[in-house]
Structure formats: structure tokens, C-alpha cells
Amino acid sequence: MNLFMEVAASGKMISFGENGLTAVLGYAVVFAGLLALMAILYLMGVFFKLRQKKRSEAVLPAALPAKQSAPEPEEPAGEPAPGSAGEIRRFDVPDKEAAMIMAIVADQMGKPLNELRFKSIKEVKKS
Amino acid sequence: MNIGEILKKLFGESGFAGFFQSGGWQNAIMIVIACVLLYFGIVRKFEPLLLVGIAFGCLLVNVSYFIGLRGDDALYHPNLWSAFLDPTPGNAAYHSYGVILKEGGFLDILYIGVKTGLYPSLIFLGVGAMTDFGPLIARPSSLIMGAAAQLGVFLAFFGANLIGFTGNQAASIGIIGGADGPTAIFLTTKLAPELLGAIAIAAYSYMALIPMIQPPIMKLMTTKKERSVVMTQAREVSKTEKIIFPIVVTIFCVLLLPSTAPLIGCLMLGNLFRECGVTERLSDTAQNALMNIITIFLGISVGATMAGSQFLTLATIKIIGLGLAAFAVSTIGGLLAGKVMYRVSGGKINPLIGSAGVSAVPMAARVSQIEGQKANPRNFLLMHAMGPNVAGVIGSAIAAGFLLSVFGG
């Protein structure tokens, strides 16, 4: 028994014209498919952004008095640190403490700090 | 019978005698190649999870050739698979898994999972469960880069046809440019199974070599100013959006190209397990236990297709060359789209993230991150590059679906 006999090539040869047409059409189909998907995702995004906006508008009046008494976020000072992304809002929290809190959270989650996104850090004062 | 005759008989029946039989030298070379691949997988850590399995499968099939000389003990029988594909009237083995199960060896039986497309699809289930599509949902324009980066697929397809491959074979070679191993295996098994070993090795080797292939092209195609662009944080994606996403993509892509159903369906099911929040156990199994089991089966059975007489051909060298060209052109396609988006956005999008459109999750995104930080230490592109990166997975699945529709007939 010949275990490794030659295997015939699958399919047929195609002409130059068919070859070019298939390549162009294939690329066009991939583009068209992903562009249509992009449009769907944009529509989805618009819908969810509007929904989010409506919700936050509904919550805002109730939350307004409480917000007035809350401390103002500190402005981020100077240039961001190397490797950082975005900004963080800090409420009565010094730089060093904020950095320490973020490092502890990253360590406990077992994820690198640069893969986490911190939106704000606020000190909760005991009454 | 004297001792000399006994020793001669023992040697004649041993596998070593096979080296001196017709074609035995090819198997000897393949054993050396398997050891080299094992070195690359274990020592150089080139895609070790798959390459070690593939290399060992290659070793097993070329060693078991000698066992096969004595009878039907070979682990893998390419002739059974040739008969499986032979539509000649009266051929009982044509499309008969029963014959494979009855007469096949251990690796033949494992190979059924490749042949049916089961393993690549289940790998996609695990990939879906491990992938966060958030960056793509937050910036849907990433899909343009994912689409543009399929350029290499179709140029390599075109080139492969020109140098004498059949349409089916050219389609299988082209998909190497998608930089997506399971997709390449899935398509090749359906269209040109005789090239599976060479295509799988080319696809996984180049995926492992992305940190070496892409950076020179990235530097060549972008200016320092473009590479230094710091992108702003994308919007936050709600949980509901992440749950709806896999359902929408499945409905849309499968309706568009039904042949993508096994790959896109499994990818999105895995992602739904991850995001829906009520199937944590299934998500965990898909990401870990199932993924690992299938990786073992896939690696060893793909390696089994690397029998000497099938692998040591001029076609393999052509495939290795075309695969490299496909990767490079796909990277160029992604970068070109990135440059267009840089212009259109008024310099807000770093074109380096375009090269991540070649799938190879997350390796290609990491390369964008590294090159971005080299140009500007404050640059953090990883999450931005993950958008085109996962878009590339969907793009290569659509490209595979298209080629399967055209040539799968």
C-alpha cells in the first residue's frame, strides 16, 4: 500500500479575467459588508447615546441639590504622565493618594494599570 | 536461521529500513523539519500552543510511515483521505466517514474534526469568549481598517492563480493574508485539503513573526508626526450594547454570506456567553477547557497532514512566499486606510492602528502599541488598535465566506 501517494489538486484553473474579477469582487464584498455593519453600529450607538442622555436628564433635577453641596473636582495639573490615557476627576484627593489607590485597585484586580480606566476618585467622609 | 538473518529480518521490519525505501528520505527530512518547528515553538515561543502540537503531529505521521509499511498500523493515511474525496462511481470511501473510522488510524480519526470544520469553529467559540468587542462598538469606523487589511487576501489569491494554482488552491493560499489561523484551516479544509499542512504552517509562522514583519512596513508608510498622534479616549460602551452586538453581527453576516455561519456563529456565540452575564460557566469553559482541548486536537491533526511526499514540494515553497506577500500587503492595506482616516479626522486617528486590521489578535494590536510608543512615549494605542484588530477577525471570516461561496460549489 502506498501511504503517501500524490493527492490531486482541488478545483480547476480559472482564466485571468475570472481571477481578476473574483479578487476585485471579493474585496468589494468584504468592504460592503463591513461598511453596512459599521452603519448598523453607528445607528446603535446613536440610539444608546440618546437613551443615556434622556436618562441622565431625568436624573439630573433630582440630583442637583445634592450636587451643589459636593466638592468641585480638582483640575488636572500640567501634562499627563507617560502612558496615561484620558483624565480622572478627583474630589478632595491629593495626587499621591489617587496614584496609590489606582495602584492598589490594579494590583487587586490582577490587571496592568494601563488597561484600567478610572473615571473619578472621591473621598467619602464619615459623618 | 542464524543470528545474522534474524538481525537482518528485524532491521527490515523496523522503521529505520524505511529510510532506504522509495520516498523514505522525504520522511527523514520531515522528521528534521518537525524537530526544527519544535525548537521554534518551545525555545523561541512562536505560537507555542499550536506550533508544538503541529510539529509533533508532523513528527508522528512521518515516523508512523514506517509502521505503515508493515500493515495498517499507520497513524494517518493520506490515501484514505484521497479516496474520501474521489467521486469515481463505485468508490465506497467517497465522503464516507464510516470507512475512515473503520480503517483509519488515531490521527485519521482526530482529523475528522478538521475535515468537518468542527475544530476551527470551536476555536472561534473560545476566541469570541475571550474577545472584548467594546473598542469596535465604541469606534465603528475601525471596521474600515479591518476591511482594508483584507487586501493581501485577494492580491495573494490573484498572484497564486497567476503562478499556476487552481482557483480553490489560490483561495486557500490567499486567506493566509487574513492572519487568522482557524479561518485559514477552515477554508483550506473545504477547498484544498492537500495544501492544509503548508498553509497552516505558513499562517501560524507568519502570525508569530508579526512583530518582525509589520514594524518596517509601518515605519516606511507613516511619518513620525502621524505615528506620534495621541488618540482621545473612545466613548464608554454600555453592557446592553455589548449584548446586542453579537446578535446583530450574527444576523447580518450570516444573512449576507451564509457560508460564514460556522465561524461567525461560533465567534459571536462565544462573545454572547461572555457578555450576557448569565452564562459565566459556559464562557469560562469556552475560554479555557474547551479551547485547550480543541487546540490539542487541531494542532496534532493539522501536523498529521505534513507527510513528506505531500509537504516537500515546490508548491509549499510558493505558498510560504505568497503567504509572506499576503501578510505584508494586508498590513499595507490597513495602514493605507489608517492614513485616510488620519486625514479625514483632521489628524485625530493614529494610522498605526490600521495595521492591526490583519486579525492576529492581540499580537497585531500590541505591535501598533509598541510602534506608537516608540514615536511618542505618551502614546497608548492598545485599546484603539483592538477595534481594527477584532474587525479584522470579522473581515477575514467574510472574505473566507465569499471564497467558499465562489469555489465551494
Side-chain angles (χ1 to χ4, degrees):
Chain A
M1 180 166 71
N2 178 9
L3 281 172
F4 296 112
M5 66 189 205
E6 283 292 322
V7 180
S10 304
K12 291 177 281 186
M13 298 300 294
I14 58 174
S15 69
F16 184 82
E18 282 177 314
N19 183 14
L21 190 67
T22 310
V24 172
L25 191 64
Y27 200 40
V29 166
V30 172
F31 249 103
L34 291 187
L35 282 175
L37 194 58
M38 185 179 90
I40 295 170
L41 289 183
Y42 268 121
L43 287 176
M44 236 172 78
V46 168
F47 172 78
F48 279 99
K49 268 188 226 165
L50 283 175
R51 207 175 75 152
Q52 184 70 26
K53 199 176 168 188
K54 272 185 189 170
R55 276 188 183 171
S56 50
E57 277 172 3
V59 172
L60 200 61
L64 208 54
K67 199 179 175 184
Q68 281 170 343
S69 62
E72 286 297 310
E74 295 163 26
E75 286 296 317
E79 288 286 296
S84 64
E87 289 174 354
I88 183 167
R89 289 190 301 162
R90 290 176 290 109
F91 298 87
D92 290 340
V93 182
D95 280 353
K96 280 185 183 176
E97 280 181 26
M100 191 173 67
I101 290 164
M102 289 191 284
I104 292 169
V105 171
D107 182 56
Q108 290 194 345
M109 290 180 75
K111 289 195 169 183
L113 191 54
N114 56 14
E115 285 184 14
L116 298 176
R117 184 183 176 198
F118 294 87
K119 293 168 78 174
S120 66
I121 297 177
K122 181 180 175 183
E123 185 186 353
V124 181
K125 293 189 171 82
K126 285 185 183 172
S127 57
Chain B
M1 190 182 283
N2 62 31
I3 291 177
E5 279 178 357
I6 292 171
L7 289 176
K8 195 178 169 188
K9 185 170 179 285
L10 276 176
F11 178 76
E13 286 182 0
S14 78
F16 293 105
F19 285 118
F20 305 102
Q21 308 253 348
S22 167
W25 62 273
Q26 290 173 311
N27 300 98
I29 290 175
M30 288 310 294
I31 290 167
V32 173
I33 290 176
C35 293
V36 171
L37 291 175
L38 281 171
Y39 167 79
F40 279 120
I42 296 167
V43 181
R44 307 295 294 271
K45 295 186 173 56
F46 284 2
E47 296 281 335
L49 295 180
L50 262 155
L51 200 55
V52 171
I54 290 176
F56 209 82
C58 170
L59 184 69
L60 274 178
V61 75
N62 285 287
V63 170
S64 80
Y65 165 76
F66 304 123
I67 303 168
L69 282 177
R70 288 206 306 269
D72 295 329
D73 300 333
L75 297 181
Y76 181 75
H77 299 80
N79 58 333
L80 273 183
W81 289 102
S82 300
F84 181 86
L85 296 171
D86 182 6
T88 310
N91 174 20
Y94 180 58
H95 283 184
S96 169
Y97 287 113
V99 172
I100 302 285
L101 287 169
K102 189 173 164 226
E103 296 180 21
F106 164 64
L107 295 179
D108 288 304
I109 293 166
L110 279 189
Y111 185 71
I112 291 174
V114 180
K115 186 72 203 160
T116 52
L118 184 70
Y119 299 156
S121 303
L122 289 178
I123 290 272
F124 257 48
L125 187 79
V127 171
M130 287 196 282
T131 304
D132 176 12
F133 282 97
L136 174 64
I137 304 169
R139 186 175 280 124
S141 58
S142 302
L143 283 158
I144 294 173
M145 289 179 265
Q150 306 310 312
L151 181 65
V153 173
F154 295 100
L155 272 184
F157 162 79
F158 185 76
N161 268 313
L162 287 185
I163 61 170
F165 285 100
T166 65
N168 286 33
Q169 291 176 326
S172 304
I173 293 166
I175 204 70
I176 299 173
D180 195 331
T183 305
I185 291 171
F186 179 82
L187 189 71
T188 307
T189 313
K190 303 276 180 199
L191 296 183
E194 70 277 10
L195 301 182
L196 183 61
I199 286 175
I201 286 292
Y204 281 108
S205 302
Y206 291 138
M207 278 165 67
L209 291 172
I210 272 185
M212 281 175 249
I213 296 170
Q214 285 196 324
I217 302 170
M218 293 160 94
K219 280 178 190 152
L220 202 67
M221 291 202 52
T222 52
T223 62
K224 176 108 195 299
K225 187 185 166 200
E226 287 171 339
R227 292 198 295 275
S228 304
V229 171
V230 177
M231 291 175 68
T232 53
Q233 192 79 29
R235 76 176 175 90
E236 206 173 329
V237 176
S238 70
K239 189 164 181 59
T240 317
E241 280 178 273
K242 286 187 175 182
I243 294 171
I244 291 172
F245 175 78
I247 300 167
V248 167
V249 172
T250 305
I251 293 170
F252 176 76
C253 290
V254 177
L255 286 178
L256 179 73
L257 279 168
S259 49
T260 61
L263 292 178
I264 293 284
C266 284
L267 180 73
M268 291 302 146
L269 176 61
N271 190 247
L272 189 61
F273 283 158
R274 172 197 170 95
E275 302 295 354
C276 71
V278 291
T279 54
E280 280 168 20
R281 279 167 49 196
L282 302 185
S283 173
D284 178 55
T285 302
Q287 287 182 45
N288 300 296
L290 182 66
M291 185 79 160
N292 292 340
I293 291 167
I294 300 300
T295 301
I296 294 169
F297 288 175
L298 183 70
I300 199 169
S301 44
V302 165
T305 63
M306 294 168 67
S309 64
Q310 285 181 300
F311 194 83
L312 292 177
T313 61
L314 187 61
T316 301
I317 296 168
K318 288 180 186 170
I319 289 167
I320 303 282
L322 283 165
L324 180 61
F327 253 70
V329 174
S330 285
T331 303
I332 291 169
L335 286 168
L336 283 175
K339 282 174 84 81
V340 170
M341 292 182 72
Y342 168 81
R343 302 260 171 196
V344 172
S345 66
K348 286 180 184 163
I349 289 181
N350 190 317
L352 287 181
I353 66 169
S355 65
V358 299
S359 309
V361 182
M363 187 87 82
R366 277 193 208 136
V367 173
S368 301
Q369 156 74 9
I370 291 165
E371 291 306 310
Q373 274 202 331
K374 276 183 193 167
N376 178 356
R378 281 194 283 127
N379 223 343
F380 189 76
L381 293 177
L382 187 67
M383 285 316 284
H384 303 292
M386 283 307 290
N389 208 190
V390 294
V393 178
I394 300 173
S396 57
I398 292 180
F402 170 80
L403 292 168
L404 195 56
S405 298
V406 175
F407 296 104

